[in-house]
Structures are given as structure tokens and as C-alpha cells.
Amino acid sequence: VTPAPKRREKPLPKTAAWRCVLMAEGSSSGASLFGALNHAAGVGHVLRAAVPRGGSGARVERWAKVTPNRLTALALSADGALLAAGTNEGELHVLQASSLARLVRLQEHPMYVAVLVLTERDAAGGYAAISCSTNEVKVTRLPKERLVPPTLSADRLLLLLALLAALVAAAFAHFAGGGGEAPGEPPAAVEAPPAAP
């Protein structure tokens, strides 16, 4: 796999080891390869690479840190919309396959996820994840409402703007009210104490 062109993102760790690989049929120009990589320190990454027809010269398109834990299983939905990853700590992460944005994080098992399957989309637009750990199989419903990429809600945006306005007002009051020296001004003259006789 050929590395992606240089970006502002942090590069993948050089001590990463491949754990799982999946291929998804793409357009007439090629397919997508999804891989789970684990850093030596345990950090789990997922990457998506474009594989041209003929299979040579694959190029990494995107990668994302999914979890501080090791990835142990990977599954792709039949329609290629969702990617699920299981960890050595029993977590289930569901990602949007196109952007690798995390949609859902669940603690499904007390131990590592050994096998993971995503079902086809149901009539309501949701999916189900079937995850297996030691002596345990779980079916987790993933309704369409939970599979929305995180966004900055209007409430959070208003809160951030209010905090910014409060900081600006406090800074203005501090400098305008004589509570401190304005940036760039020389400090007020301080008289030296009288010399001892």
C-alpha cells in the first residue's frame, strides 16, 4: 500500500501492525481496502485505501485513530456505508465508512471481540452488529437515529459564543478599568526606596 500524499494529519505510527483487512467493491475504477492497525503501545487505527482495478498501486485515502485499545475484529456493512471495529477490551465502534467518523461506541463485552458482523440495512434504515467474545454472542441494534456523524449542535455553538463574549468582556473590563497594564504599554513608574544613610 502506497502512503497517502503528505497532509497535516499525524502520520501513522511506523510500529503499527496489521490486524484485519477487508475489501469492498467500488466503482469501475477500483475497490476500497479497509484495514485495522494496532500501534505497539496499543492504539487502534483504521484506514481506507483505494485499490485500482488490477490491484497494484493502492493508495491510502484516509485513516483515523479509533481507540486507545487494540483492534481485534473488523466488519463492513453489505452496502459499504458502515465499518465496525471490535477491541481487546470488548468495545464496539461503528464508523461511517466514507469518512471514518465514529458514529457509535459501545462496551459490549468484558473481553476482546473475536468475531464481528454487520447485518444488511433493515426496513427502518438501521443495522445490527453481531459480536462474539469468549462464550458470548451479542446482537446490538443500531437504529438509524444513532448512526449520525457528530456535529456541533446549535446549543453548543451558542455556549461557545457566550464563553468567548464573556472572556472578551472580562479582558476589556480588566484593561479599561485600570486592573492591569494594556499590552505594549510601559509599566507605571515605580519610585525607588530612599537610600539608607
Side-chain angles (χ1 to χ4, degrees), residues 133-144:
S133 186
T134 55
N135 300 324
E136 183 177 55
V137 175
K138 270 194 170 178
V139 177
T140 306
R141 288 194 26 76
L142 302 167
K144 181 174 74 172

Side-chain angles (χ1 to χ4, degrees), residues 56-187:
S56 63
R59 182 180 53 84
V60 174
E61 295 177 317
R62 184 174 293 275
W63 66 85
K65 176 183 170 187
V66 177
T67 174
N69 301 312
R70 292 182 182 278
L71 297 176
T72 56
L74 204 59
L76 186 66
S77 62
D79 60 5
L82 298 180
L83 183 69
T87 73
N88 64 332
E89 296 293 325
E91 299 167 325
L92 172 64
H93 297 269
V94 180
L95 313 171
Q96 187 176 45
S98 60
S99 66
L100 300 182
R102 183 173 35 212
L103 305 174
V104 177
R105 181 206 167 273
L106 302 166
Q107 184 68 47
E108 291 298 283
H109 301 279
M111 296 180 69
Y112 67 94
V113 176
V115 177
L116 188 56
V117 175
L118 281 172
T119 64
E120 292 186 23
R121 187 185 306 245
D122 62 23
Y127 297 81
I130 303 166
S131 54
C132 303
S133 186
T134 55
N135 300 324
E136 183 177 55
V137 175
K138 270 194 170 178
V139 177
T140 306
R141 288 194 26 76
L142 302 167
K144 181 174 74 172
E145 297 78 32
R146 291 189 69 188
L147 302 174
V148 178
T151 59
L152 187 60
S153 68
D155 292 342
R156 287 187 178 177
L157 182 59
L158 286 174
L159 177 64
L160 288 173
L161 289 173
L163 287 171
L164 180 62
L167 284 171
V168 168
F172 180 76
H174 179 74
F175 292 115
E181 308 294 336
E185 290 185 16

